[in-house]
Amino acid sequence: PEIRVELLLSERRVQLREDEFDIDLQIAAPKDPSLMQRRLLKTERILVASPDYIARMPAVREPDDLAGHNCLTYWMGPDTVIWTFMRRGKLRELAVPSAFSTNNGYVLCQLAVMGHGIALLDDYTVSREIKSGRLRQLLPSWRVTNSSFDEGIYATFQQTAHLPGKIRAF
């Protein structure tokens, strides 16, 4: 009851010490070995499109079929967008065509619902739309990611000799 929460939402990674944050909630595990992490939730990425988009475009049966589609991509920098597919332990990397990129998953989800293309999104972002029929999963026999197959929501905090009580309680 003595903890005060200030929730700041951003798509950028914070510098915990410099920005004076106790905890950073991240979608991927941090690569900085000086940071501690605890996975709070395991997630999967899902390839989705609207029924309208699926009906008017060529079928997507294999990852290579994406070459003829508009992929709505999560912006991770100016480099080519690569999606990695895995099935039966075999990996397949694919540079995907994209006419629209953003750093916001909910925007990508809405564009997919509106029939503008195929999006790769976290299961928690699209679960309601899949249940309602507004989106359908593509290539369900493949695992797919744009970063890592070790997806989840991570609480990240500074490594210290003694973990502060407020972080432990949180």
Side-chain angles (χ1 to χ4, degrees), residues 48-150:
V48 295
S50 71
D52 173 61
Y53 182 88
I54 293 168
R56 64 183 158 80
M57 297 298 290
V60 178
R61 292 186 181 93
E62 295 292 326
D64 289 337
D65 294 337
L66 293 171
H69 289 268
N70 182 43
C71 297
L72 306 167
T73 58
Y74 192 90
W75 191 84
M76 299 172 74
D79 298 331
T80 302
V81 176
I82 304 291
W83 288 350
T84 304
F85 295 82
M86 182 169 57
R87 184 167 64 178
R88 294 183 212 113
K90 296 190 181 191
L91 294 176
R92 167 87 171 88
E93 287 189 345
L94 183 68
V96 294
S98 177
F100 188 92
S101 186
T102 182
N103 67 344
N104 187 286
Y106 291 104
V107 170
L108 291 175
C109 184
Q110 290 310 305
L111 288 168
V113 166
M114 293 166 57
H116 293 293
I118 297 171
L120 176 60
L121 293 162
D122 292 300
D123 51 7
Y124 58 84
T125 303
V126 297
S127 63
R128 184 176 299 147
E129 282 73 14
I130 290 173
K131 285 179 186 170
S132 72
R134 292 170 25 133
L135 289 176
R136 291 190 189 146
Q137 183 175 2
L138 303 175
L139 302 178
S141 66
W142 293 83
R143 290 187 68 203
V144 59
T145 186
N146 61 350
S147 60
S148 163
F149 286 108
D150 191 26

